[in-house]
Amino acid sequence: MPLLAVAAGVLVAAFVIFGPALTAPFDFDDGPAIVTNTTIRRLWPPTALLHAPVGTPVSGRPIVNYSFAIDYAVNRWLGIAQTPSPAAPHETIGFHVANVLLHALTALLLLALIRRTMRLGRIPDAWRSLADPIALTVVALWLVHPIQSEAVDYVTQRTELLVSLFYVATLYAALRAAAAGVWWSVCAVVCCVLGMASKEVMITAPLAVILFDRAFASTSWREPWMNVGRRRLYIALLATCGLSIALVAAGARAGTAGFGAGVTWYEYLYSQAWAIARYLRLVLWPVGLSIDYGREPVHGVAGVPGAILLSVALACTIVAWTKDRWGWAGFLGAWFFLLLAPSSSIVPIATEIAAERRIYLALAPVLVLLVVCGAWLLRRPGLQRFPRRGVYAAALIAIVGVALGAVTFRRSALYRDPVALWSDAVAKVPGNVRAYDNLAAAELRLDPPLLEEADSALARGLSVDSTYIPSWNRRAAIAIHQSRLADAAAMLHRTLSLAPDDSTANDELGRLYLASDRPDSAIPLLRRAADRAPTSRTDEDLGTAYLETGALDSAVSVLHRAAQLDPSNANALTKLGGALVELDSGRDALPYLEYAASVDPRSGFTLAVLSLALAQARDTTASRQRASDAIQASPNDEVVDVFVGRAMQTLGDQRAAVTYLSNAVQLAPNDPQALARLAMARAALGNLALARALVRRALIVAPRDALLRRTAVKLGVQ
């Protein structure tokens, strides 16, 4: 077999069939796993390995998280913008290309595994000659099958791709180690470790290696363990399970999987009987694919056919292990069940009752069984009289492969349009509230956003399940965008009545209070959001509230954490610098403000605060230059004028301060800060009467303003 030609063919086929999704935008879990995941924004130090964000698909899966860091670094090296679309229309291509490459590489490893397995000594001679055509047929169908589209086209399912790659690599290396020695054993263990750090399904790989040896290389269960080298390999592979157990025990999957996840084990097991039967039906007839099946367990008689089918399959697998000549079939059945056991047995995954990507690698044993059965039929005496039966079989396989590839191509194209993708999910599973929520999210990401359509989709979803918190939060966000603040507050209170600790609702309601000049009411909500799920944005919001209430030390602490969580958050950096400036620590504020200015050089506010920090640091020339830059960037912004005026006051240039502060008062006649600062500048120039008049005018507007009251006392205003 010309291996280079086969490899080239696999790559070309993969990129052609999955090519339509290469420009698909990030969607669904891609947001927390990639878009807002700050740990992937640098390769060194390897924070992506050590600090994957909790509660996301990459939590407890450091290899997957680091693979995204590599994609991000490649984008940066190529000069591809990495901000939300449409500003960065090419940001997802590298991530999608990596997924397709991983899919193709797994296919090639699977091809090598099947070929070499069929040439082992325990395989009858008549079947060894069929190793190449059987392996090629299985891998071709596995590569192009439409049920693989979710794992390949949905970027975050890199988890499934990587664990499958390392799973097959472990089996292949273990197979080679039987004849080639210790280095292949080391390779098998390394691949197993990498798989354990990619996804929990890898925990079954050591057992799969042992079963593989029993089925294809041994005549008894004791024989593999009698070999010292194999025994050491088994022990080393089993030891790697400790890594997966440790990652799960550390809480990586807490809240999404486990017996306390809100679904009983027997409900989940019964639902999996329905789900696995559906996967197998989709393997044979891939019509009705859906990206999401929702969270609700299956009830009634819907799971009965699947339970019967799986019981028969399990019984056949057990019987096959008792017949030495059927050991290959026993391994295929066991491998199928092992691959599905971590996600599709008795351990509930509350976030999704079914997912087509779960059968991604498990499709391989199913196809091997089907292809081997087909080859067996062709060898029956009744078909021997048809001399061209092989040609007809090859033609049939080619037709099936092309048909499957065409369906996959069309399915991949759907991923380019999230609205169409989630409309399809709603149509396929109309009782899935999450599909309505994601449809609304897709409509809101359009430019301009389809607010009415999104709100309608959310309302339909909530009619299915009125307790789905993300939809209430999204409807509140729409109401805020439409300036229906009372409706938004009511929706957020509804969310908090269902889930008092929901970080999104606490943050949004806190921001709503901030916008309504109620920072004292905002702080408890924002603090709860920041404690529950700290992000750069939640900490920025809390820091803003502290700033507005004058709690400067608290503001500095929280904003410093916001800057650590996302060093590119220019707003948080500017506010941190502003808090330090208010504490007269302009020199300490300079690094943050200068970096913020480099991130957003057109922000007049950042430049104005930087001007004041430079003035406090006694850098007169730089302060005046930044003041000029700030006014040029934001010529009609009273806040900018106030900070530039303060910078001039700090430098002792009261006349320049009066100019800027007078402009601020002209732009915002009732701004107590502008009035108080202008009064102080007038007083410094000897215009006490005018300064007192300004203070009296300001006290009418804001009698409780602390700065005004201090200025009034200083100027002797009663």
Side-chain angles (χ1 to χ4, degrees), residues 200-201 203-204 257-259 263-276 279 297 310 314 336-350 352-355 358:
E200 298 72 31
V201 70
I203 202 167
T204 66
F259 295 105
V263 179
T264 62
W265 69 267
Y266 51 86
E267 283 181 311
Y268 191 75
L269 178 62
Y270 184 71
S271 299
Q272 295 319 295
W274 169 86
I276 296 173
Y279 305 153
L310 292 179
L314 183 60
F336 176 81
F337 283 111
L338 284 175
L339 287 168
L340 288 173
S343 63
S344 306
S345 56
I346 63 171
V347 181
I349 299 177
E352 51 188 358
I353 209 66
R358 292 177 184 171

Side-chain angles (χ1 to χ4, degrees), residues 436-459:
Y436 292 98
D437 186 72
N438 279 289
L439 172 58
E443 290 170 332
L444 290 172
R445 287 196 299 269
L446 295 176
D447 187 18
L450 302 179
L451 298 176
E452 298 297 335
E453 292 82 349
D455 197 49
S456 174
L458 293 168

Side-chain angles (χ1 to χ4, degrees), residues 99-112:
N99 274 20
V100 176
L101 286 173
L102 289 170
H103 181 54
L105 183 56
T106 304
L108 291 172
L109 275 173
L110 194 58
L111 175 68

Side-chain angles (χ1 to χ4, degrees), residues 332-583:
L332 292 177
W335 194 26
F336 176 81
F337 283 111
L338 284 175
L339 287 168
L340 288 173
S343 63
S344 306
S345 56
I346 63 171
V347 181
I349 299 177
T351 53
E352 51 188 358
I353 209 66
E356 290 160 8
R357 63 181 177 275
R358 292 177 184 171
I359 202 174
Y360 174 73
L361 184 55
L363 177 61
V366 175
L367 291 177
V368 170
L369 183 62
L370 292 174
V371 172
V372 168
C373 288
W376 179 82
L377 286 174
L378 286 175
R379 296 164 61 86
R380 292 300 85 204
L383 292 177
Q384 293 292 328
R385 54 189 176 153
F386 296 104
R388 298 178 62 83
R389 65 188 183 281
V391 175
Y392 296 139
L396 177 61
I397 292 169
I399 292 170
V400 171
V402 170
L404 291 174
V407 175
T408 304
F409 183 89
R410 184 177 179 183
R411 181 74 183 169
S412 294
L414 201 60
Y415 280 79
R416 287 186 311 204
D417 183 356
V419 172
L421 180 66
W422 289 105
S423 295
D424 176 77
V426 166
K428 299 291 177 52
V429 191
N432 177 11
V433 62
R434 189 165 57 202
Y436 292 98
D437 186 72
N438 279 289
L439 172 58
E443 290 170 332
L444 290 172
R445 287 196 299 269
L446 295 176
D447 187 18
L450 302 179
L451 298 176
E452 298 297 335
E453 292 82 349
D455 197 49
S456 174
L458 293 168
R460 283 183 287 147
L462 289 170
S463 69
V464 172
D465 180 359
S466 62
T467 66
Y468 192 63
I469 291 168
S471 290
W472 284 112
N473 289 338
R474 217 178 293 281
R475 289 198 79 186
I478 293 173
I480 291 171
H481 192 276
Q482 295 175 330
S483 299
R484 296 186 288 112
L485 302 185
D487 290 343
M491 293 173 188
L492 292 169
H493 280 297
R494 173 66 182 269
T495 296
L496 293 176
S497 70
L498 296 169
D501 291 329
D502 182 74
S503 58
T504 301
N506 278 291
D507 189 37
E508 289 297 334
L509 188 55
R511 288 165 63 88
L512 200 60
Y513 285 150
L514 272 179
S516 304
D517 294 323
R518 298 169 61 188
D520 289 319
S521 299
I523 285 175
L525 297 165
L526 295 172
R527 187 188 297 127
R528 190 177 300 133
D531 290 344
R532 182 75 176 175
T535 65
S536 185
R537 192 191 111 160
T538 57
D539 281 339
E540 180 194 338
D541 293 338
L542 179 57
T544 302
Y546 281 136
L547 275 175
E548 293 189 8
T549 57
L552 297 178
D553 290 331
S554 297
V556 168
S557 175
V558 172
L559 290 167
H560 187 265
R561 187 172 69 175
Q564 287 182 316
L565 290 171
D566 183 2
S568 65
N569 186 342
N571 288 334
L573 291 166
T574 299
K575 291 173 182 177
L576 174 56
L580 290 168
V581 163
E582 297 300 337
L583 290 168

Side-chain angles (χ1 to χ4, degrees), residues 130 150 210 247 255 357 377 436 512 537 606 646 664 667:
L130 297 176
E150 181 185 345
I210 296 171
L247 290 170
R357 63 181 177 275
L377 286 174
Y436 292 98
L512 200 60
R537 192 191 111 160
T606 299
R646 290 178 62 186
L667 292 169

Side-chain angles (χ1 to χ4, degrees), residues 584-650:
D584 292 324
S585 300
R587 193 175 298 278
D588 294 335
L590 286 178
Y592 304 110
L593 293 168
E594 287 171 346
Y595 186 72
S598 70
V599 173
D600 187 6
R602 299 303 303 163
S603 171
F605 177 67
T606 299
L607 295 169
V609 179
L610 178 55
S611 173
L612 178 54
L614 288 164
Q616 290 180 351
R618 302 305 175 192
D619 191 339
T620 303
T621 303
S623 177
R624 290 185 183 278
Q625 181 59 54
R626 289 302 190 178
S628 176
D629 294 340
I631 297 300
Q632 186 176 359
S634 302
N636 294 304
D637 187 327
E638 71 276 8
V639 177
V640 169
D641 281 305
V642 167
F643 272 94
V644 171
R646 290 178 62 186
M648 296 303 104
Q649 283 180 306
T650 303

Side-chain angles (χ1 to χ4, degrees), residues 158-221:
R158 178 79 58 84
T159 55
E160 202 70 48
L161 298 176
L162 279 172
V163 75
S164 298
L165 173 66
F166 293 129
Y167 205 123
V168 177
T170 300
L171 283 172
Y172 180 74
L175 170 59
R176 295 295 302 271
V182 67
W183 289 111
W184 279 106
S185 293
V186 172
C187 181
V189 174
V190 170
C191 289
C192 202
V193 168
L194 294 174
M196 296 293 178
S198 298
K199 196 172 184 180
E200 298 72 31
V201 70
M202 193 70 189
I203 202 167
T204 66
L207 181 55
V209 171
I210 296 171
L211 293 177
F212 182 93
D213 279 2
R214 172 62 186 89
F216 298 107
S218 306
T219 57
S220 71
W221 288 101

